[in-house]
Amino acid sequence: MRHIISILIENESGALSRVAGLFSARGYNIESLTVAPTEDPSLSRMTLVTRGSDEIVEQITKQLNKLVDVVKLIDLTEGPHIEREMMLIKLRTAGDAREELKRLVDIFRGHIIDVTTGTYTVELTGTGDKLDAFIQAVGSAAILETVRSGVSGIARGEKSLHL
Amino acid sequence: MELTGAEILVRCLKDEGVEYVFGYPGGAVLFIYDALYQQDDVKHILVRHEQGATHAADGYARSTGKPGVVLVTSGPGATNAITGIATAYMDSIPMVIITGQVHTWAIGSDAFQEVDSVGITRPCVKHNFLVKDIKDLATTIKKAFYLATTGRPGPVVVDVPKDVTMHRAEYSYPEEVAIRSYHPVMKGHPGQIKKAVDLMLSAKRPMIYTGGGVIWSGASSSLTEMTRMLGYPITNTLMGLGAYPATDKQSLGMLGMHGTYEANMAMHHCDVLIAIGARFDDRVVGKVEYFCPEAEIVHVDIDPSSISKSVKVDVPIVGDVDHVVKEMIRLLKEDKRTPDHAALAQWWDQINEWRAVNCLKYDRNSSLIKPQFVLETLYNVTQGDAFVTSDVGQHQMWAAQFYKFDKPNRWINSGGLGTMGFGLPAAMGVQLAHPDATVACVTGEASIQMCIQELSTCRQYGLPIKVINLNNRYMGMVRQWQEFFYEGRYAMSYMEALPDFVKLAESYGHVGIKIEKPADVEPALREAMKLKDRLVFMDFITDQTENVYPMIAQGKGHHEMHLSPERELA
């Protein structure tokens, strides 16, 4: 099962490597990892996507909680939640394809944020599935470069992860 | 008054009540050594290798319950300490390790004797710190001691750059620290404890299985009280020996790969397992699928990540063992129900049948010295009251089987990491903490050579350790596995070119004795014990082919034990 784990962690040098080190040392996989400071500059919010059986994910959350730098964490996938990922993608736009690509970007509600005679740079936000679908729709021949932020997520409703 | 960082560090140690620092000087820690030199409160023990410093601090900690403190320099000083730090981490030993570091401005420049100590130690510490500003020094040291000694204990590394020890700042040692992300749970959940007690009282074939957590929680007496109240059988792990008196009739001895037949069989057939301060290590559990197939399991542990890590449990209780066991005792006293005495009597009959197998039997008429005989004699000669450290291998298992520990903190060995070289330096820490006690280091000719240089430290500080070297000219446990599982191809397990240990001991200024006949074992041990102020190195030339039994091969269940080739069970 895929799990999205949100972590509040001390914004200190080395905190990220404690998390990354834990995953490699214990053989857990990380599908994506994003991290940035929160409104409280002493805290960073980390969103980690991993896969594993219930037992493994239980161990992952326990081991993460054991790290002294981890202040709080939740498994977003345990309840209703929203996930978003942002992608910047540079597309080759030769000949007729240019119009078609523009239409595709509109269909996926992306934005073209940079243009040259031969390229579009597109910004697209959504779930990982949506970004995958866009990549598939444009086809690998048109893609010059892809940059994905990794998943970030938040719980729906009143529930929030804070101190 | 302003002090230098080095002076602040030493004052912190003093204010923390640190008696001994085990260490080795070097460029990055010279200011700290200079500050140590100018005071008498904190005593420094100079080892001969940084690994020795960590094991000595570890032995000090295990025998006193207080944190061990280590001071090493940057680079190789820190890397040499890694083995000892990892040893302490695996066995949850409270230690504070101060590593020197190059100047803050040189960090990251591949400076002389620079290594990323925080990075290298990260996977084998409870936590670590790099102090970049002298203003954070005292608080960081306080945090280090707090983290090392609370919750599930463990080693904490504090990396201190040289310029931080040189700068000046006001000193005040915080009386307490709070870490917002760190709140070890002490009290167990009352509902869970109640559930556990219900289950315990409903048992027909109960079994109590306890580990090192009981010792670190200081819960030996409450555990003993509860076990006696219930009348249930109890087994201790390698790390938990001494938590319940081994000579008591309810004790089934150690369990696991080289545990007793009765302990392992009782584990296999029990219907309720009460696991306390133990972590279901693979050497205890064997094959998970065969583990306690009929049992409902209660597990008390202070570390939530220990619970259901390898074996799924039915009633988990996160909390300090002593708190939880005392609460269990209170509930048991209030409860009108009693254990099922009839079922229990039947259970004990069965256990006594297993006991009658006498699984630790060995050949007492051999013309060669049997290692088991040496340990049995050591137990008798010291009247079971010595501190015993050990290295790793066959001798460690025999010591665990044949020295019956009635008290906690007496049995000091590297259980989790299995670190050869641990025994002698650990004994130094124990002897310093208990100057009048008998401290025996049980070792083998392979292990002892991994930290033999510490004989020099023992000489310098007059540590009268009794080294019991079981010399079978083989890395015994390696040889045993090669005999069983590699068709007797003894690859590299034979120790050629051994030193003359008697002369070696003498050259370090100690007493050496070589013992070659069974009849000389007891007189030699008695003579050695009489030399109260001398280190005595006893080199016992033992039977080369002796194996440790009983044994559960890796990947087998508790019910699939081997007693010995002559005594296989159906």
Side-chain angles (χ1 to χ4, degrees):
Chain A
M1 251 278 274
R2 177 171 175 270
H3 289 257
I4 305 172
I5 298 170
S6 270
I7 307 165
L8 283 178
I9 191 165
E10 296 289 350
N11 185 10
E12 277 173 14
S13 68
L16 174 62
S17 57
R18 288 182 209 277
V19 173
L22 169 71
F23 273 70
S24 65
R26 295 195 179 263
Y28 306 142
N29 77 55
I30 300 182
E31 231 173 69
S32 79
L33 178 67
T34 69
V35 56
T38 63
E39 78 286 357
D40 173 352
S42 72
L43 282 175
S44 288
R45 167 88 171 225
M46 191 180 275
T47 311
L48 200 152
V49 180
T50 184
R51 267 175 208 281
S53 63
D54 289 352
E55 291 77 29
I56 288 179
V57 173
E58 184 186 330
Q59 262 302 307
I60 290 175
T61 54
K62 282 174 171 177
Q63 293 291 347
L64 282 168
N65 263 317
K66 204 165 132 179
L67 294 176
V68 172
D69 283 339
V70 168
V71 183
K72 220 170 181 185
L73 72 79
I74 52 166
D75 182 347
L76 285 176
T77 32
E78 278 178 358
H81 63 280
I82 301 159
E83 66 169 280
R84 286 291 181 273
E85 187 174 356
M86 206 261 274
M87 175 167 71
L88 300 175
I89 186 165
K90 193 169 283 185
L91 304 171
R92 183 185 286 116
T93 58
D96 296 345
R98 199 166 168 90
E99 251 326 288
E100 177 58 23
L101 283 173
K102 170 85 175 61
R103 269 198 296 277
L104 263 180
V105 170
D106 289 341
I107 291 167
F108 278 84
R109 290 184 212 155
H111 305 285
I112 296 172
I113 53 173
D114 191 41
V115 178
T116 69
T117 49
T119 66
Y120 281 153
T121 301
V122 177
E123 175 194 327
L124 191 62
T125 305
T127 62
D129 283 352
K130 175 181 162 181
L131 305 190
D132 291 344
F134 181 77
I135 287 173
Q136 207 162 21
V138 297
S140 59
I143 298 172
L144 291 167
E145 192 179 347
T146 320
V147 191
R148 293 174 70 150
S149 65
V151 170
S152 58
I154 199 161
R156 279 193 186 275
E158 306 262 315
K159 196 173 166 189
S160 64
L161 178 64
H162 62 94
L163 279 195
Chain B
M1 195 184 78
E2 287 205 330
L3 300 178
T4 67
E7 288 164 340
I8 287 174
L9 189 58
V10 175
R11 280 286 298 275
C12 288
L13 297 181
K14 181 192 165 205
D15 289 348
E16 196 58 48
V18 173
E19 204 180 352
Y20 291 108
V21 175
F22 300 89
Y24 203 101
V29 286
L30 282 175
F31 285 109
I32 304 173
Y33 272 86
D34 196 43
L36 277 169
Y37 187 80
Q38 297 176 55
Q39 55 84 55
D40 296 317
D41 298 305
V42 182
K43 294 185 263 306
H44 180 274
I45 303 297
L46 175 68
V47 294
R48 297 299 180 268
H49 185 289
E50 287 87 351
Q51 184 184 347
T54 51
H55 294 330
D58 185 321
Y60 176 90
R62 290 185 206 231
S63 69
T64 60
K66 294 192 276 186
V69 181
V70 176
L71 172 60
V72 296
T73 193
S74 64
T79 55
N80 277 348
I82 299 288
T83 301
I85 296 170
T87 303
Y89 182 62
M90 284 292 268
D91 290 344
S92 310
I93 307 304
M95 279 183 10
V96 172
I97 302 99
I98 295 154
T99 54
Q101 184 53 277
V102 300
H103 291 263
T104 47
W105 49 261
I107 290 177
S109 69
D110 300 321
F112 176 65
Q113 290 194 331
E114 181 188 0
V115 76
D116 174 12
S117 297
V118 164
I120 284 186
T121 57
R122 190 183 303 119
C124 58
V125 292
K126 183 168 174 183
H127 196 60
N128 57 19
F129 298 95
L130 168 64
V131 183
K132 283 185 169 163
D133 187 333
I134 187 173
K135 289 200 287 296
D136 301 329
L137 183 57
T139 317
T140 307
I141 299 290
K142 182 76 193 174
K143 280 185 185 169
F145 278 94
Y146 172 60
L147 286 169
T149 54
T150 53
R152 179 176 179 174
V156 177
V157 165
V158 184
D159 200 25
V160 187
K162 188 168 185 177
D163 49 342
V164 171
T165 65
M166 192 172 74
H167 296 151
R168 288 181 166 274
E170 282 294 328
Y171 172 70
S172 79
Y173 196 57
E175 286 196 4
E176 52 184 57
V177 280
I179 299 173
R180 64 177 169 181
S181 54
Y182 177 76
H183 310 281
V185 178
M186 294 301 279
K187 282 192 179 152
H189 187 279
Q192 290 293 95
I193 298 176
K194 178 83 184 50
K195 251 200 223 170
V197 167
D198 286 346
L199 191 60
M200 283 152 69
L201 286 172
S202 73
K204 307 277 181 214
R205 300 183 307 282
M207 182 69 174
I208 303 173
Y209 143 58
T210 75
V214 176
I215 290 171
W216 282 106
S217 171
S220 281
S221 57
S222 49
L223 173 74
T224 306
E225 186 188 343
M226 185 176 79
T227 307
R228 288 191 174 144
M229 264 175 81
L230 290 165
Y232 291 176
I234 179 168
T235 177
N236 300 141
T237 68
L238 180 68
M239 298 313 298
L241 295 178
Y244 186 85
T247 53
D248 186 272
K249 60 181 191 314
Q250 281 171 251
S251 167
L252 307 191
M254 183 172 75
L255 81 164
M257 185 173 271
H258 293 296
T260 65
Y261 183 62
E262 52 270 32
N264 286 332
M265 290 302 276
M267 288 292 288
H268 190 72
H269 292 280
C270 70
D271 69 343
V272 172
L273 180 69
I274 305 138
I276 303 177
R279 64 180 177 92
F280 296 83
D281 174 80
D282 57 288
R283 286 294 199 263
V284 159
V285 169
K287 195 168 177 70
V288 175
E289 287 77 14
Y290 301 151
F291 180 76
C292 297
E294 293 157 40
E296 288 195 76
I297 304 175
V298 174
H299 187 193
V300 184
D301 204 290
I302 198 156
D303 177 4
S305 74
S306 277
I307 288 175
S308 291
K309 185 166 79 174
S310 54
V311 172
K312 197 98 188 122
V313 303
D314 303 284
V315 186
I317 302 171
V318 176
D320 176 66
V321 166
D322 198 42
H323 269 83
V324 174
V325 173
K326 281 186 172 140
E327 194 54 22
M328 285 175 165
I329 293 173
R330 193 181 66 77
L331 291 178
L332 285 166
K333 280 182 178 161
E334 283 176 4
D335 211 302
K336 289 193 182 66
R337 294 168 297 172
T338 56
D340 183 340
H341 293 296
L344 200 53
Q346 260 188 7
W347 181 226
W348 274 111
D349 284 347
Q350 172 63 74
I351 289 169
N352 288 331
E353 253 176 59
W354 290 325
R355 252 184 188 157
V357 166
N358 191 13
C359 67
L360 298 179
K361 198 168 110 179
Y362 65 91
D363 178 10
R364 285 165 195 279
N365 303 316
S366 171
S367 59
L368 301 170
I369 298 178
K370 289 286 180 182
Q372 299 96 321
F373 176 64
V374 177
L375 289 161
E376 213 168 54
T377 312
L378 175 69
Y379 173 75
N380 292 331
V381 166
T382 56
Q383 293 167 326
D385 206 31
F387 286 86
V388 180
T389 73
S390 97
D391 269 301
V392 169
Q394 287 184 319
H395 63 268
Q396 178 189 25
M397 293 298 111
W398 283 316
Q401 290 175 337
F402 286 88
Y403 203 99
K404 297 180 197 71
F405 295 94
D406 280 342
K407 295 177 193 162
N409 307 97
R410 293 292 174 117
W411 165 238
I412 309 263
N413 82 127
S414 166
L417 197 68
T419 308
M420 290 170 71
F422 175 81
L424 178 62
M428 304 191 311
V430 178
Q431 189 78 76
L432 282 160
H434 309 274
D436 300 323
T438 301
V439 181
C441 165
V442 176
T443 183
E445 82 291 342
S447 281
I448 190 71
Q449 292 192 79
M450 284 218 185
C451 272
I452 192 101
Q453 75 285 348
E454 299 306 329
L455 283 175
S456 174
T457 310
C458 295
R459 174 66 181 161
Q460 182 172 349
Y461 298 97
L463 304 176
I465 296 160
K466 305 299 180 263
V467 180
I468 316 291
N469 188 41
L470 299 178
N471 186 344
N472 63 355
R473 286 83 70 209
Y474 271 115
M475 295 161 207
M477 192 58 93
V478 173
R479 192 205 59 77
Q480 177 168 341
W481 281 56
Q482 288 170 336
E483 180 188 328
F484 292 173
F485 309 119
Y486 299 89
E487 296 169 334
R489 291 183 296 276
Y490 299 126
M492 296 296 144
S493 56
Y494 185 72
M495 294 296 279
E496 283 179 330
L498 286 173
D500 179 333
F501 286 109
V502 172
K503 281 190 189 151
L504 185 67
E506 285 170 356
S507 81
Y508 278 111
H510 302 306
V511 179
I513 311 176
K514 186 172 185 172
I515 304 101
E516 295 177 274
K517 292 201 294 286
D520 295 338
V521 169
E522 185 172 336
L525 279 165
R526 290 205 183 277
E527 190 190 324
M529 296 305 161
K530 271 190 215 146
L531 297 170
K532 290 222 171 294
D533 54 350
R534 299 296 298 275
L535 184 148
V536 183
F537 193 113
M538 284 160 274
D539 189 21
F540 293 94
I541 309 302
T542 60
D543 183 350
Q544 285 197 284
T545 59
E546 191 60 37
N547 289 324
V548 181
Y549 293 110
M551 179 170 184
I552 304 172
Q554 211 165 22
K556 299 284 186 182
H558 281 157
H559 58 306
E560 300 171 288
M561 301 200 82
H562 294 285
L563 283 193
S564 73
E566 308 84 55
R567 306 178 63 212
E568 282 311 339
L569 294 155

